[in-house]
Amino acid sequence: MNVGLTRCMTLSRVISALVLAICAFMPFLAPAVGEPFLIGMFARAMIWSIAALSLNLIMGYGGMISFGHAAYLGVAAYTVGILSFHGVTSAWIQWPTALIVSAIVAFLFGAISLRTRGVYFIMITLALSQMLYFLARSAELYGSDDGLTIARRSATGLSFLNLNDRVTFYYVIFAALLLCLFVLWRIVNSRFGMVIRGIKSNETRMEGIGISTYRYKLAAFVIAGTMCGLAGILEANLEKFVSPDTLNWARSGEMIFMVVLGGMGSLFGPVTGAVVYWLLQDKLADLTEHWQIIFGPFLILVVLFARGGIDGMLKRRPRDA
Amino acid sequence: MPEPILVTESLHKNFAALIATDSLSLEIMPGGIHAIIGPNGAGKTTLINQLSGMMKPDSGRIRFAGQDVTDLAAPARVRLGLVRSFQITSILRDFSVLDNVALAIQAGQGHSFRFWAKAALDPTLREPARALLEGLDLGARNDVRSGELAHGEQRQLEIAMALATNPKMLLLDEPMAGMGPEESARMTEYLAGLKGRITMLLIEHDMDAVFALADRITVLVYGRAIATGTPDAIRADGEVRRAYLGDA
Ligand SMILES: Nc1ncnc2c1ncn2[C@@H]1O[C@H](COP(=O)(O)OP(=O)(O)OP(=O)(O)O)[C@@H](O)[C@H]1O
Ligand SMILES: [Mg+2]
């Protein structure tokens, strides 16, 4: 059993390394196989990965099923768009501002929603994020339903960091993904991370050993929201466009799917989840316009039969299967 | 005369029409073991819930170590040194045994807003956790997922977690519940070893354990203390015999 277990654990690692390697070399692979559009697709998949990774901190590790995580993606993207609209194009102003805005929104939303549990928590996070969605839809100055086109990508003022260069921007996104993975790896194994995981496992017991759980959950919420804000900044720059849909519950739902698909509470799972989600969606969309009819049941099957997601399947011991 | 470490002043708690705690005034002296016995549904767990801050009394005050803690939340009371264990085992089932205890030790070392260093490599957490588990005969089970432990071992872990927070006073809710006689005897011996260092409020149905350990005993019936005294006095008390000990 031990030999098998070791092999399976390695398999999960190998897949992680493989996914990262594919991401790392995509700007060279894609033209080589004659499909240059793959660069944009993987850039998008990596941004979604960052968003899913951030959600995994609170949902996978902390057990807080937030159905409003798109809020932080959206406010950060809108911050970039609105600043750009008013002529502020410097990345050094746009990016920190957007991160701070998403942190503040996460703090406020967390402070309210974390006072509730279970289904109420899910509903409140959903309601709060939908509030922002409707706010964006009614913001006429910034395009209402039509969204806001961003004239040019954030200006870094550094020649070697020109985001208008496709490959440079791709590697900025890749570096952001690696940074997030590294930061999360440290966090989930730190004292703070142990507390967050303990709260998921048994919150009453955590209070019983003297942990005031609310403040730790709130801190995790702010970290996750800020990290999701980073994804929003990158997305606004990639698409050069931001619309209310960025804030919509459907985006929050997609993030949950990616986390579940990849494996809740596994460090790398959400990245695999996001990439697989993105590829599946793309391939199924080629097959039929009604790809969601296939995709929906597929996700339900994953939730029902592959507990622990893809990562869980790779790690599972034969006797558990 | 030393000051009592824990005092309740006419504590009251109702569940609808049911009186679970009835003008209960207790004084617990430091260092000893004060047992609370009484039939099922007497309100023993409800009392611990209120003392630990997990349930609000309807009226009355609770003072611990000279401080009024009635309005203090449960974690804050733990940080003052007033720590409970649970009648129904409450552990982190998907953590290893060692991680359960290490986390409780961490909780006793101040805030956990430390985001960078690996907790699993921190000797100030791992070593005391190992020592504690060794003392409770769980040393060989460190790396087992705690949900997979046998019942008796889970009960030991329950106590280990409470002890790991470095308490001044333990509120033990039936620590021997569901243990075999041998495990029970070992736990009794272990608790006896803590006597003097940690004050204990002991709720227990196992009368051998109670009479072996307790310096004072309070008998609770329908939320009311019908008698308080030394083990000998309680054993001799006719009302107690009728109400609870069940002697003819
Ligand atoms: N949350 C609650 N809501 C309503 N009634 C409750 C609640 N908790 C306890 N009770 C009732 O209060 C009474 C006292 O319960 P408690 O659990 O304190 O008894 P106990 O002395 O610990 O009993 P046991 O020896 O079985 O553990 C019981 O009648 C119980 O049904
Ligand atoms: Mg009870």
Side-chain angles (χ1 to χ4, degrees):
Chain A
M1 178 209 103
N2 262 323
V3 179
L5 181 62
T6 319
R7 204 185 54 224
C8 291
M9 295 282 275
T10 332
L11 186 58
S12 155
R13 289 241 175 93
V14 167
I15 300 268
S16 309
L18 201 65
V19 170
L20 277 185
I22 292 172
C23 289
F25 294 110
M26 192 45 70
F28 306 101
L29 287 175
V33 297
E35 309 220 35
F37 72 94
L38 278 173
I39 300 179
M41 207 169 111
F42 266 79
R44 209 161 278 137
M46 289 194 298
I47 292 173
W48 289 34
S49 296
I50 294 174
L53 277 173
S54 72
L55 177 62
N56 191 36
L57 176 66
I58 52 174
M59 187 170 102
Y61 287 96
M64 298 166 255
I65 304 171
S66 164
F67 210 140
H69 210 58
Y72 321 116
L73 187 82
V75 291
Y78 263 102
T79 305
V80 171
I82 289 170
L83 284 173
S84 167
F85 178 80
H86 291 291
V88 182
T89 56
S90 164
W92 308 106
I93 297 173
Q94 280 185 356
W95 292 36
T97 312
L99 290 178
I100 291 168
V101 169
S102 42
I104 291 172
V105 172
F107 178 83
L108 293 175
F109 283 12
I112 297 167
S113 59
L114 289 169
R115 300 200 177 277
T116 62
R117 300 277 145 87
V119 178
Y120 298 101
F121 177 76
I122 299 177
M123 297 312 286
I124 287 193
T125 51
L126 174 63
L128 288 169
S129 70
Q130 285 303 96
M131 238 171 54
L132 290 181
Y133 168 70
F134 287 111
L135 183 70
R137 287 188 59 178
S138 62
E140 273 171 38
L141 182 57
Y142 304 118
S144 316
D145 284 343
D146 297 335
L148 183 60
T149 301
I150 299 168
R152 41 190 312 267
R153 291 192 177 141
S154 309
T156 62
L158 302 167
S159 56
F160 62 92
L161 214 60
N162 179 2
L163 300 188
N164 291 306
D165 179 81
R166 198 158 67 146
V167 174
T168 305
F169 186 41
Y170 182 93
Y171 280 111
V172 167
I173 298 171
F174 182 62
L177 174 61
L178 291 184
L179 177 72
C180 290
L181 274 169
F182 181 64
V183 166
L184 283 175
W185 175 64
R186 298 304 301 221
I187 289 178
V188 298
N189 290 303
S190 70
R191 287 187 178 219
F192 178 80
M194 294 309 282
V195 166
I196 290 300
R197 292 150 86 163
I199 291 171
K200 178 189 180 187
S201 183
N202 185 345
E203 186 163 359
T204 308
R205 187 37 149 171
M206 292 304 282
E207 295 191 333
I209 59 173
I211 299 285
S212 302
T213 56
Y214 178 77
R215 54 185 81 153
Y216 292 97
K217 292 197 287 187
L218 186 54
F221 223 74
V222 173
I223 295 169
T226 311
M227 191 172 282
C228 195
L230 179 59
I233 291 169
L234 296 170
E235 180 164 311
N237 274 286
L238 182 71
E239 314 293 354
K240 294 197 195 164
F241 175 71
V242 51
S243 80
D245 286 341
T246 324
L247 290 155
N248 199 6
W249 67 269
R251 283 303 295 270
S252 303
E254 281 175 329
M255 285 185 219
I256 294 179
F257 282 143
M258 288 175 212
V259 173
V260 173
L261 191 61
M264 284 211 283
S266 104
L267 184 68
F268 196 80
V271 180
T272 319
V275 171
V276 171
Y277 182 90
W278 190 247
L279 290 174
L280 269 181
Q281 183 185 318
D282 192 65
K283 291 297 155 217
L284 290 177
D286 282 352
L287 284 178
T288 162
E289 185 183 335
H290 306 291
W291 58 273
Q292 280 154 321
I293 294 179
I294 307 175
F295 200 56
F298 168 75
L299 284 171
I300 292 172
L301 288 178
V302 169
V303 172
L304 287 181
F305 295 109
R307 288 215 271 130
I310 295 168
D311 190 72
M313 265 159 50
L314 296 175
K315 279 181 183 161
R316 187 155 321 160
R317 289 171 267 178
R319 59 160 193 183
D320 293 351
Chain B
M1 243 324 257
E3 288 282 299
I5 183 166
L6 183 82
V7 179
T8 71
E9 288 164 12
S10 41
L11 218 52
H12 265 286
K13 181 79 194 173
N14 291 4
F15 295 117
L18 181 91
I19 302 174
T21 308
D22 191 357
S23 46
L24 195 63
S25 295
L26 292 173
E27 290 198 343
I28 315 282
M29 289 299 159
I33 298 184
H34 190 127
I36 299 211
I37 61 174
N40 291 114
K44 304 181 295 295
T45 297
T46 304
L47 173 63
I48 288 208
N49 283 340
Q50 294 168 84
L51 295 178
S52 64
M54 292 190 171
M55 200 180 259
K56 258 192 167 345
D58 295 338
S59 64
R61 310 301 301 175
I62 301 165
R63 279 193 291 122
F64 175 69
Q67 185 179 343
D68 189 321
V69 297
T70 319
D71 300 318
L72 225 48
R77 293 188 205 190
V78 172
R79 293 196 291 270
L80 287 179
L82 183 60
V83 182
R84 73 173 295 178
S85 75
F86 292 82
Q87 178 174 358
I88 296 164
T89 307
S90 180
I91 53 181
L92 311 174
R93 303 183 71 85
D94 31 56
F95 278 47
S96 76
V97 172
L98 188 63
D99 282 340
N100 267 274
V101 179
L103 192 48
I105 287 180
Q106 175 185 323
Q109 287 183 358
H111 73 81
S112 288
F113 289 104
R114 300 195 208 166
F115 300 93
W116 213 245
K118 264 197 167 179
L121 298 179
D122 189 336
T124 67
L125 301 177
R126 309 306 272 186
E127 271 158 29
R130 280 206 185 86
L132 189 59
L133 286 166
E134 200 61 49
L136 272 155
D137 297 332
L138 277 175
R141 309 288 270 159
N142 280 352
D143 299 321
V144 178
R145 218 175 58 87
S146 70
E148 286 167 12
L149 290 178
H151 175 83
E153 293 173 319
Q154 291 191 352
R155 297 302 296 160
Q156 286 169 299
L157 178 58
E158 173 74 42
I159 302 301
M161 288 182 80
L163 275 171
T165 61
N166 194 20
K168 288 196 184 77
M169 176 165 182
L170 279 175
L171 309 166
L172 299 169
D173 198 350
E174 301 196 25
M176 283 81 159
M179 279 188 172
E182 210 171 291
E183 287 170 323
S184 234
R186 268 216 306 275
M187 181 58 78
T188 306
E189 200 180 311
Y190 188 80
L191 294 178
L194 298 174
K195 217 167 154 172
R197 276 190 292 141
I198 300 172
T199 312
M200 282 174 264
L201 183 78
L202 173 69
I203 289 175
E204 190 48 63
H205 282 298
D206 179 339
M207 284 307 126
D208 291 338
V210 167
F211 283 101
L213 288 169
D215 306 299
R216 289 181 80 72
I217 298 176
T218 294
V219 184
L220 207 64
V221 178
Y222 295 121
R224 236 162 31 81
I226 61 165
T228 294
T230 61
D232 287 338
I234 292 297
R235 225 191 298 248
D237 189 308
E239 193 187 352
V240 172
R241 284 166 166 259
R242 269 193 309 283
Y244 182 54
L245 293 179
D247 291 9

